[in-house]
Amino acid sequence: MKGSLCHEYETELPAADVWEVYGGLLAGQLVPQLVPVVYSKVELVEGDGGVGTVLLVSFPPGTLGSRTFKEKFIKIDNENYVKEALIIEGGFNF
């Protein structure tokens, strides 16, 4: 299956501050703590947070369908605060 997912969230924080969290690996550490009912764990498979980095994302126990997915960062634009990732294994449960 092919598709895309985009999410926009408005905040009063400066973009540079948000990018400090989202632009690298810190978001993967925080997301399971902030929304454990959505993602239970995010593990670094390879890379340093830059293009080519692969993460293994796990859904919480009891989630129907795929239990995990792997995503690979394919674009990181620190000037325009853009990160693109490609799901290379597994997928989302909708």
Side-chain angles (χ1 to χ4, degrees):
M1 179 178 3
K2 203 171 194 182
S4 65
L5 178 66
C6 179
H7 178 74
E8 292 186 23
Y9 179 80
E10 191 170 323
T11 178
E12 294 186 20
L13 295 170
D17 290 350
V18 175
W19 189 250
E20 284 293 319
V21 174
Y22 182 73
L25 296 173
L26 186 55
Q29 296 170 8
L30 294 176
V31 167
Q33 295 174 38
L34 298 173
V35 285
V37 297
V38 179
Y39 301 115
S40 63
K41 189 190 300 186
V42 177
E43 299 172 78
L44 179 64
V45 175
E46 67 180 66
D48 60 3
V51 171
T53 294
V54 176
L55 301 177
L56 175 64
V57 182
S58 300
F59 296 108
T63 302
L64 298 176
S66 178
R67 303 270 304 151
T68 63
F69 69 90
K70 283 186 182 178
E71 73 174 12
K72 183 176 186 175
F73 298 165
I74 58 171
K75 177 181 179 180
I76 297 179
D77 180 344
N78 292 313
E79 290 182 23
N80 294 301
Y81 308 123
V82 174
K83 181 194 287 185
E84 293 180 14
L86 180 66
I87 295 179
I88 58 173
E89 186 178 300
F92 286 100
N93 302 308
F94 291 111

